[in-house]
Amino acid sequence: MRERSVLLNPSILASDFTEIKNTLDLIASLDLDYVHLDVMDGSFVPNITFGPKFIRDMRKLSDLVFDAHLMIDNPEKYIKAFADAGCDIITIHKEATRHLNRALTMIRDEGKEVGLAINPSTSVLEIENELMNVDYVMVMSVNPGFGGQAFIPQSLKKIKLLDDMRRAEGYEFRIMVDGGVGLKNHIALKEAGADILITGEAFFRSSDKASFIEEMES
Ligand code: DX5
Ligand code: ZN
C-alpha cells in the first residue's frame, strides 16, 4: 500500500450495482486501496441499500480494503455478520445505539478496524469518551441516506476540533469525511485535518478519474 498524505475512498453508492465487478476492478486499477460500502436499513436512514450477503459476494471479487459504513439502527445485532462477510473497517453511528462502547468493543473483538461516525448535528464532544477506542472518526458532512447532497460547511469546524483533540491527547484515530466531498472543498478539508475523503458522485461522474484522484490526493 502506498503512503499518501490523504486517501480517497470511492463510495459505490453512486455506481451501478449490476456493474459491481467492473467497478471494483476500476477502483483497483486506479491504484486506490479502499472502497466505501454504504449500508442503509430504511430505519436509521430513509433509504435501503444492501447487507452482508452482497458484501460477502463482493469479497470474492476484490482484494480492496472494505470500508463498511453501517447506517443501521442497533448495529450490534449485525456486527458479526458484517465481520464474517469480509469487511475490514466497520464504522457505526453514535446515534444508532444506546450502548456505543459495547458496540465498538464488538467490532474490535472481531479483529476489525473500528470506525465511529457522527451525524451533522452531533457534536464532537459527544464522542469524547470513545476517541481512545477507535481507529477512525467519520464526520458526516451531509445527512446520511443519499449520495449527491451538498456539503454542510460547519463540518469543517468539527474536523478541526477533532484534529485539535487528537493532538492534545495523542490519539491516533484517522479522520474520515463523508458527503458532498469533491474538488470544491478538498483543500479546506485537508487543511482542517481530514485524512480520508470519501467520495461518491464526484468520483463516479468524473470523466478523467486518474486526474481527479491526483488532484484530490495532492
Ligand atoms: C451518504 C453516504 C455517503 C455517500 C457519499 O449517506 O454515507 O458515503 O455515498 O456520496 P457523495 O460523495 O455523492 O455525497
Ligand atoms: Zn458513507
Side-chain angles (χ1 to χ4, degrees), residues 11 13 36 38 40 69 71 140 144-148 178-180 199-201:
S11 161
L13 187 63
H36 184 79
D38 285 310
M40 304 187 187
H69 176 196
M71 286 161 276
M140 288 306 300
F146 301 93
D178 187 12
T199 158
E201 292 283 334

Side-chain angles (χ1 to χ4, degrees), residues 92-111:
I92 60 171
H93 270 260
K94 193 257 164 214
E95 305 85 1
T97 176
R98 285 192 184 167
H99 299 289
L100 184 59
N101 178 270
R102 179 182 293 148
L104 294 170
T105 303
M106 286 172 74
I107 302 172
R108 183 75 70 206
D109 289 348
E110 288 293 333

Side-chain angles (χ1 to χ4, degrees), residues 179-200:
V181 174
L183 293 173
K184 284 189 197 149
N185 48 28
H186 72 115
I187 295 173
L189 289 167
K190 282 179 265 186
E191 283 173 0
D195 305 293
I196 298 170
L197 306 178
I198 294 157
T199 158

Side-chain angles (χ1 to χ4, degrees), residues 8-188:
L8 184 78
N9 293 10
S11 161
I12 62 162
L13 187 63
S15 74
D16 178 347
F17 290 172
T18 64
E19 292 289 331
I20 194 65
K21 182 170 176 3
N22 291 335
T23 301
L24 295 170
D25 288 347
L26 169 73
I27 294 169
S29 74
L30 290 162
D31 206 21
L32 295 172
D33 301 314
Y34 294 69
V35 60
H36 184 79
L37 308 176
D38 285 310
V39 177
M40 304 187 187
D41 68 350
S43 171
F44 181 68
V45 290
N47 198 2
I48 301 176
T49 54
F50 51 81
K53 158 78 170 127
F54 190 59
I55 294 178
R56 184 184 295 277
D57 290 348
M58 280 193 282
R59 190 70 286 178
K60 290 185 255 172
L61 301 173
S62 174
D63 294 326
L64 288 165
V65 178
F66 278 10
D67 157 30
H69 176 196
L70 304 189
M71 286 161 276
I72 65 175
D73 274 324
N74 303 313
E76 54 276 15
K77 285 189 188 165
Y78 298 100
I79 283 165
K80 187 167 183 341
F82 283 101
D84 290 347
C87 299
D88 300 294
I89 304 167
I90 299 182
T91 295
I92 60 171
H93 270 260
K94 193 257 164 214
E95 305 85 1
T97 176
R98 285 192 184 167
H99 299 289
L100 184 59
N101 178 270
R102 179 182 293 148
L104 294 170
T105 303
M106 286 172 74
I107 302 172
R108 183 75 70 206
D109 289 348
E110 288 293 333
K112 304 299 177 181
E113 288 200 283
V114 180
L116 173 55
I118 50 173
N119 280 339
S121 70
T122 301
S123 160
V124 163
L125 301 177
E126 290 182 51
I127 54 167
E128 201 179 357
N129 290 336
E130 295 301 333
L131 291 178
M132 66 293 287
N133 297 324
V134 300
D135 301 302
Y136 301 91
V137 174
M138 182 186 293
V139 173
M140 288 306 300
S141 41
V142 297
N143 288 294
F146 301 93
Q149 302 181 79
F151 178 83
I152 297 176
Q154 55 266 40
S155 315
L156 283 168
K157 249 174 74 183
K158 292 166 74 174
I159 295 166
K160 282 197 193 102
L161 179 55
L162 274 169
D163 191 40
D164 289 346
M165 286 162 88
R166 76 177 158 180
R167 279 173 214 273
E169 301 292 336
Y171 297 146
E172 291 189 347
F173 61 82
R174 289 194 277 171
I175 302 174
M176 293 174 153
V177 53
D178 187 12
V181 174
L183 293 173
K184 284 189 197 149
N185 48 28
H186 72 115
I187 295 173

